[in-house]
Amino acid sequence: MNISTTDKEIANYLQEELERSQNGLEMIPSENFVSEAVLDALGSIGTNKYSEGYPGKRYYGGCQVVDKIELLAIERAKQAFNVDHANVQPYSGSPANLAVYYALLDPGDTVLGANLSFGGHMTHGLKVNFSGTLYNAVNYTAKKDGYLDFNEIRSLALKHKPKLIIAGFTAYPRIIDWQKFRDIADEVGAFFLADIAHIAGLIIGEEHPSPCRIADVITTTTHKTLRGPRGAMILSNGKVSNPIKKVPRTKENIPTLIDRAIIPGLQGGPHNHTTAAIAVALSEALKPEFKNYAKQIVLNAKALAKSMIDEGLELVTGGTDNHLMIADLSNLNVSGKDAEHNLDEIGITVNKNTVPFDSRSPFDPSGIRLGTPALTSRGMKEDDMKLIGQLIARLVKNINDNNIKEEIKKQVLELTNKYPLYPGIKYN
Ligand code: DSN
């Protein structure tokens, strides 16, 4: 590779990161390992081209080829999610959500989304995020057992009359009942946004119900369970007006409103290398093997949850239906921050996470969040999950015992050695 001779410092860092990934268990549920074909597209000449606008309607010349790339990405997204319209240009998930707000709301309008500490996302109305400062954000929480509380969501909606209701979570281990959100949105006349960033791959693989014909607008990142490059898409139903002109904020106009919000509203030139890589990832996700992958993610998550429960750990909601789980460590007197740090030292990467009604702060909460998409991409199965659950439990129960930590570290290395990651890639 050229970089190995032209920039040794970065080449060495990339190699170091590759080895860290190879020798560790990547269990952050929002992370994944893309195919080499996705890496090829992402590192391609697509990055060189400016193409502000949309296929056939650009502000630059020379866009005939990037038009074809973007159209293919759009067609594949429409097919994968069964929607009429896909905008594949958002730079990532937060800008995609910002575009939805910009398209459908005026500053000061009320939005109802999940509290970050109960599995929401910053862009769903966190006070220090644009969504909580430019808009009047109201947050719903959950029941004591961690399940969504539709009585609370409905009564907040009736009381605050939001213009936008958001469902979709970064730390919710159960199936989401999209129709219940739809009914509440209809009762109060709100738009309904489903943010499926975490579960997009499970939806394509039919392991989670789809909101794509239920919600008014759907946002997703492309790099989580979907296993594509860092990027995002906004999906909706209906047609874009031609020309893409200013239109009233009605449901029928959502595709046009979204396209106008992305450009000229918020963004400049699309990242064509990312668009190409999204198209590659979508073609992979449309293959029958991807269904097996999605199924295995969930089987692995259930096996991991069972193993941790068998070892005496407590999980929020008592388990999982999807790709992730939250372990509540309060009964072990170990904080999420300490668990994250100590697991990191032995090669298991997770992130600290609040549990419902956490008595500790979000910076040092009571739980950790774990998921199986990346391990499943490496080929791991239920037996591996059983072992990993045991290793995690042993570590958190013996957090101050360096001998035990060393033993577990060796076991992690033995396991990861069995699953080579990108064996054909070397940066230095
Ligand atoms: N940062 C992502 C996650 O880890 O869930 C959400 O955007």
Side-chain angles (χ1 to χ4, degrees):
M1 280 193 182
N2 289 333
I3 197 173
S4 64
T5 47
T6 61
D7 192 335
K8 283 194 181 3
E9 284 166 294
I10 288 292
N12 289 342
Y13 287 146
L14 288 173
Q15 186 63 29
E16 198 178 325
E17 173 62 3
L18 178 59
E19 285 163 18
R20 185 195 68 81
S21 307
Q22 162 63 45
N23 297 332
L25 294 170
E26 181 48 73
M27 299 188 72
I28 292 174
S30 48
E31 295 189 14
N32 213 329
F33 297 118
V34 301
S35 69
E36 293 192 26
V38 168
L39 287 181
D40 283 348
L42 198 57
S44 71
I45 52 165
T47 194
N48 296 330
K49 186 76 196 94
Y50 251 121
S51 54
E52 281 168 333
Y54 291 101
K57 306 174 199 76
R58 305 281 191 184
Y59 295 92
Y60 287 83
C63 291
Q64 40 294 42
V65 185
V66 293
D67 275 8
K68 293 188 217 175
I69 292 173
E70 187 167 335
L71 284 171
L72 195 51
I74 290 169
E75 277 318 304
R76 289 175 180 172
K78 283 161 61 176
Q79 192 188 338
F81 291 99
N82 179 29
V83 287
D84 300 338
H85 182 65
N87 187 310
V88 297
Q89 293 192 10
Y91 296 144
S92 202
S94 295
N97 284 346
L98 172 60
V100 173
Y101 282 70
Y102 193 67
L104 303 182
L105 307 172
D106 286 316
D109 281 349
T110 299
V111 298
L112 175 62
N115 185 299
L116 184 66
S117 295
F118 290 79
H121 184 257
M122 293 182 299
T123 57
H124 298 180
L126 183 70
K127 291 294 170 212
V128 293
N129 182 262
F130 82 85
S131 56
T133 48
L134 297 183
Y135 300 90
N136 173 38
V138 180
N139 285 167
Y140 53 89
T141 58
K143 293 191 278 192
K144 282 264 180 298
D145 61 8
Y147 278 86
L148 288 171
D149 182 351
F150 283 98
N151 289 333
E152 186 207 19
I153 297 166
R154 180 168 176 268
S155 61
L156 286 172
L158 290 172
K159 181 170 170 200
H160 296 281
K161 297 272 185 295
K163 282 208 176 148
L164 179 71
I165 294 180
I166 306 167
F169 308 92
T170 61
Y172 187 64
R174 296 297 179 180
I175 298 287
I176 303 163
D177 188 336
W178 305 113
Q179 190 58 47
K180 285 198 172 143
F181 281 100
R182 170 81 275 166
D183 293 344
I184 294 169
D186 286 345
E187 200 175 346
V188 299
F191 289 115
F192 172 23
L193 162 63
D195 179 343
I196 60 167
H198 263 257
I199 54 174
L202 301 186
I203 288 171
I204 295 179
E206 296 175 3
E207 289 294 318
H208 190 292
S210 173
C212 291
R213 293 276 166 184
I214 298 176
D216 297 308
V217 58
I218 300 101
T219 53
T220 183
T221 53
T222 46
H223 48 272
K224 299 187 175 94
T225 49
L226 181 50
R227 209 164 53 179
R230 273 176 195 281
M233 302 189 289
I234 306 177
L235 313 169
S236 54
N237 291 302
K239 281 205 178 102
V240 175
S241 68
N242 190 11
I244 307 174
K245 56 180 196 308
K246 195 167 175 12
V247 288
R249 282 189 179 127
T250 62
K251 287 192 180 183
E252 301 68 50
N253 285 333
I254 285 176
T256 312
L257 293 164
I258 294 296
D259 279 6
R260 283 181 55 86
I262 289 291
I263 179 158
L266 294 166
Q267 294 194 172
H271 294 177
N272 294 304
H273 54 305
T274 305
T275 308
I278 290 173
V280 173
L282 285 167
S283 89
E284 292 172 358
L286 283 163
K287 293 195 171 116
E289 304 88 274
F290 194 84
K291 278 204 170 55
N292 301 338
Y293 168 61
K295 190 173 179 157
Q296 193 62 50
I297 290 176
V298 178
L299 288 173
N300 281 352
K302 286 184 186 295
L304 178 67
K306 179 173 184 317
S307 172
M308 293 202 297
I309 290 167
D310 288 348
E311 294 297 322
L313 297 192
E314 274 181 29
L315 299 188
V316 172
T317 75
T320 181
D321 296 328
N322 59 22
H323 63 301
L324 65 77
M325 64 217 68
I326 314 291
D328 181 348
L329 306 174
S330 344
N331 64 346
L332 297 176
N333 238 347
V334 174
S335 77
K337 190 175 167 187
D338 278 349
E340 175 191 298
H341 175 71
N342 282 278
L343 285 164
D344 209 15
E345 284 189 335
I346 56 146
I348 299 182
T349 314
V350 304
N351 66 276
K352 58 181 177 289
N353 215 92
T354 46
V355 300
F357 306 99
D358 208 324
S359 55
R360 305 178 64 98
S361 88
F363 300 104
D364 189 11
S366 299
I368 49 173
R369 184 182 70 150
L370 318 103
T372 55
L375 298 185
T376 309
S377 290
R378 286 184 79 167
M380 293 188 192
K381 296 256 164 56
E382 288 94 320
D383 283 351
D384 302 309
M385 298 302 131
K386 185 175 175 190
L387 172 64
I388 293 168
Q390 290 164 346
L391 298 181
I392 291 171
R394 188 156 182 239
L395 186 283
V396 293
K397 287 181 198 166
N398 298 282
I399 209 142
N400 295 317
D401 187 325
N402 285 332
N403 292 334
I404 290 182
K405 269 170 86 173
E406 276 312 306
E407 277 174 36
I408 304 173
K409 194 173 178 175
K410 271 193 206 128
Q411 284 176 282
V412 168
L413 209 50
E414 269 167 34
L415 179 59
T416 56
N417 280 342
K418 289 200 260 171
Y419 296 96
L421 186 63
Y422 302 119
I425 295 182
K426 186 158 175 28
Y427 290 102
N428 62 3

